[in-house]
Amino acid sequence: MLKILVAHNAYQHRGGEDMVVDAEVELLRSRGHDVEVYHLHNDEINGMSRAAAAMTAIWSRRTERDIDDLCNRFRPEVIHVHNTFPLISPSLYWAASKHRVPVVQTLHNFRLLCPQAIFLRDGKICEDCVGKVPWRAVTRKCYRDSSLQSAVLTGMLVTHRAIGSYRERVTRYIALNSFARDKYVAGGLPSELFRIKPNFVASSTVPSWNSRNGGMYVGRLSSEKGVDVLVAANRLSGRLNLDVIGGGPLEDITKEAFGERYLGFRKLDEIMERMQTARYLVLPSVCYENSPRTIVEAFSCGLPVIASRLGALIDIVRDGETGLLFHPGDPADLAAKIAWAESHPEEMARMGRAARAEYELKYTPERNYDMLLDIYEDAIRAIDRKPAAAQRQARA
């Protein structure tokens, strides 16, 4: 049984990444591993000056001390990092190196290549910073529409690229799919550092495909998620047979468009129950999604997905097999695909069965555990093989 330190900087608004971290920790503990969590929360930023927050994002001395203490006291055999921005910072990698503890980093988004993290500008895909110094992010205010905050993020990326934090101090990267891996390799990270492991969900119910009806949208109500595209498709169709679950900046227009079919926030248990009786899930994102947990939840319930033909979604949702793909940002095409799904219940049931089979093949806790342990053991072997000179340099 391994001793594992999990590090995660939680977001102010809890999202799918936070849920993934909790699920992996629970999975590892359930298999008998000794897991300790180094957890910071972005609410702490509210009590910091701008200068202090900026310096912490680039190099956190607090994290350096904390990880040094944890390595001495807990003695982890591997450190699994999820999010380090902004409070943990990449100083964690260097602290781990001093103790010769391998670092495994899950890349939940594209932050190391794009300060905005989702390759989206003015509602369209933008890859101008891939493989380059991301100075454009500052002039365009890509992060939170702020030149200052964009400059801090860009400064962090430039600094740690220059000193080798991402190339030399991370032992293995976990990409959630081949699309994300290839994008990171194009951005300059060595391909040999990457392993692919998707997200997972537990499913204790065998789905039924009888008496299914209508569709669902589950997620943040925002432009990058394509909610305005969904609203436009609803208008073109007269009224979609679809429930909307979630909250966010586009809540008002969503409520106006869907009326009583807008259900607001719902707990996960209720969402999963509704997925057992729906005919399809709609995911109309206009940004590069990485590995939406919502798709895995849908597949576990035997629910096919109608998704944008964009980025990793093209590989995750196989068109005509586990769902349908439509042209991203095109409400007319989305409306047409939903209309087809409504008029072809038998075909959608067939896709739902294929979606469940895909879940059982790729996305179960058992499969995920095996993949995760293989990655940890690979990282530990890689550290053991490090030349003595490199080990001395890491401790210096």
Side-chain angles (χ1 to χ4, degrees), residues 84-98:
T84 65
F85 181 75
L87 296 173
I88 291 179
S89 90
S91 66
L92 178 148
Y93 309 143
W94 291 82
S97 290
K98 291 178 183 178

Side-chain angles (χ1 to χ4, degrees), residues 279-338:
R279 186 173 293 168
Y280 52 87
L281 178 82
V282 177
L283 204 158
S285 297
V286 296
C287 66
Y288 284 155
E289 292 279 6
N290 207 338
S291 180
R293 181 183 164 95
T294 309
I295 291 183
V296 182
E297 291 167 349
F299 281 8
S300 75
C301 295
L303 184 64
V305 178
I306 301 175
S308 301
R309 189 185 300 272
L310 185 66
L313 297 180
I314 298 173
D315 295 326
I316 298 171
V317 180
R318 298 197 306 276
D319 194 22
E321 296 182 40
T322 57
L324 302 170
L325 298 175
F326 72 97
H327 187 70
D330 187 342
D333 194 25
L334 173 56
K337 293 300 190 296
I338 291 176

